[in-house]
Amino acid sequence: MSKNIYVQISGRLGNQLFSYAFAKKIQMSVAGEIICNFYEVNKTSLLKKDLSFKDELSKFNLDYTNLEEMESFRNLVLNNGSLDQRFLYLIFACVRRIWPMEDYNKKYLAKINRWFARLLSRKGLYVTPFLTGHFEKSSKKSLFIYGKFENAELFEDIEKNLQKSIVAKEVISDKNLNMSYEIQKNESVCISIRRGDFLSKEYMEDFFQCDEKYFKKAINIMNKKLKRPTFFVFSDDIEYASIFANKMLKHNKVFVELEGNTVEEKLMLMRGCKHFIISNSTFSWWAQFLGDFDEKLVIGPKHWFPENGKYQNDKLIQNNWIKI
């Protein structure tokens, strides 16, 4: 019986890749067709008047089709799910009203959430945050995916497959050929600096984690561990990246990414590096995860979110990282 694996895509590229990768994991386990629904992405773009929220997956050679007529996830389940799937989803929707998403990480809810997540996933509803790498296979014809699957354990067993499949359709542009060449020939270290809305009053307390002290420590470690590292600085703030390079890397060979890179070209350049100093951003995480150098060193924060913030989830931090 051929399955339909419906996945609700949300956020920008980093978040979109997590949703797709989880769908791919399920596809490799039970087979079926991945069908992506970009309803949430388009809705966010309109509400925030932000064109950076768009279908980014189409820029890569990925195995999926688009839902012909986009609709809310609720309607997607109610229109295509079985009777028990629809019933359980309505219960889940009520639970979500009582306990917001961030509360699922609290200890007193962990056992309840694990039990509920397994029940739902057995019925083909992969809709809750996954606090462990465990998930249940489902025999249902239609499977539904919606949520944040920011958990490294979920993807470490399919890492090689994702490294091979998540490749941009377009080749490196002429303006970046020199940087790409330097990345390949040198002991290249990707530094990914996340600023943007992380510095806003709304998000700084809960998200801004990797300051200049963090990067200074990380650079010192790379300089000690590698003979002649060459640093490549990437950021959502290119002006700051240039200032950072002049201030923090004046004794090293360093390149700063050029203005105007597409998000897919940026990811391909970053993942091409041999080693990584990352920020606590999903985009940074994917760059290091897709990097396939056998002896790569990855330096990341020991906590993914600020210790005093409302989000306390370190599931993206991998055991083989150097944590500071």
Side-chain angles (χ1 to χ4, degrees), residues 39-289:
Y39 174 89
E40 288 290 333
V41 175
N42 290 351
K43 180 181 175 181
T44 303
S45 178
L46 290 172
L47 288 175
K48 293 190 173 184
K49 297 180 180 179
D50 187 344
L51 296 179
S52 66
F53 288 91
K54 57 185 177 181
D55 172 6
E56 298 286 10
L57 298 184
S58 62
K59 310 292 179 59
F60 296 84
N61 289 310
L62 303 178
D63 175 26
Y64 74 92
T65 59
N66 280 337
L67 190 68
E68 290 184 7
E69 294 186 13
M70 292 183 293
E71 55 185 327
S72 69
F73 188 72
R74 178 181 182 276
N75 288 344
L76 188 63
V77 175
L78 296 182
N79 291 335
N80 298 280
S82 62
L83 183 62
D84 54 346
Q85 284 178 321
R86 285 179 278 169
F87 176 71
L88 281 171
Y89 176 77
L90 292 174
I91 293 176
F92 165 74
C94 292
V95 171
R96 279 288 306 277
R97 288 180 178 272
I98 299 170
W99 290 313
M101 188 75 76
E102 56 267 23
D103 284 350
Y104 281 56
N105 292 316
K106 294 179 179 177
K107 289 183 179 179
Y108 71 91
L109 283 177
K111 289 184 179 180
I112 298 174
N113 180 49
R114 281 196 293 269
W115 173 83
F116 194 36
R118 290 179 181 184
L119 170 64
L120 291 172
S121 60
R122 281 198 298 271
K123 296 295 183 179
L125 294 168
Y126 302 93
V127 292
T128 69
F130 278 71
L131 300 183
T132 71
H134 176 87
F135 76 98
E136 300 280 345
K137 295 181 183 179
S138 175
S139 60
K140 289 290 186 179
K141 180 178 179 180
S142 293
L143 310 179
F144 301 91
I145 300 170
Y146 184 33
K148 292 184 180 295
F149 302 95
E150 296 176 5
N151 184 338
E153 290 180 26
L154 289 169
F155 309 111
E156 286 170 343
D157 62 332
I158 60 169
E159 179 180 16
K160 294 300 181 184
N161 179 281
L162 294 175
Q163 287 172 346
K164 290 179 181 179
S165 61
I166 301 177
V167 177
K169 293 178 179 178
E170 298 293 331
V171 298
I172 298 297
S173 62
D174 290 345
K175 72 174 185 176
N176 283 315
L177 286 178
N178 181 61
M179 175 175 271
S180 179
Y181 172 74
E182 294 290 343
I183 286 172
Q184 296 302 317
K185 81 169 187 176
N186 288 293
E187 196 74 75
S188 50
V189 180
C190 168
I191 298 180
S192 178
I193 304 172
R194 176 69 157 85
R195 287 170 65 81
D197 55 2
F198 273 22
L199 298 179
S200 68
K201 290 182 179 180
E202 182 181 1
Y203 294 116
M204 188 168 187
E205 183 177 331
D206 295 320
F207 290 96
F208 186 65
Q209 178 78 322
C210 300
D211 56 15
E212 288 190 354
K213 290 182 180 179
Y214 162 82
F215 284 108
K216 184 176 181 180
K217 289 180 183 178
I219 290 167
N220 287 338
I221 291 171
M222 285 296 187
N223 277 324
K224 289 178 181 178
K225 288 187 172 291
L226 303 174
K227 287 185 178 180
R228 286 184 294 275
T230 300
F231 293 88
F232 296 82
V233 184
F234 297 86
S235 179
D236 53 358
D237 184 341
I238 304 300
E239 182 179 352
Y240 173 79
S242 297
I243 296 170
F244 175 94
N246 290 330
K247 178 181 178 181
M248 308 287 284
L249 294 160
K250 56 187 176 183
H251 300 301
N252 290 101
K253 187 178 179 182
V254 59
F255 295 83
V256 177
E257 73 162 309
L258 300 175
E259 288 273 9
N261 286 330
T262 62
V263 68
E264 65 272 18
E265 184 164 24
K266 182 170 184 159
L267 181 61
M268 295 304 292
L269 287 168
M270 290 169 68
R271 68 169 289 181
C273 291
K274 295 180 174 67
H275 312 286
F276 299 85
I277 298 172
I278 71 167
S279 298
N280 60 319
S281 83
T282 55
F283 191 82
S284 284
W285 189 91
W286 276 109
Q288 66 81 28
F289 187 78

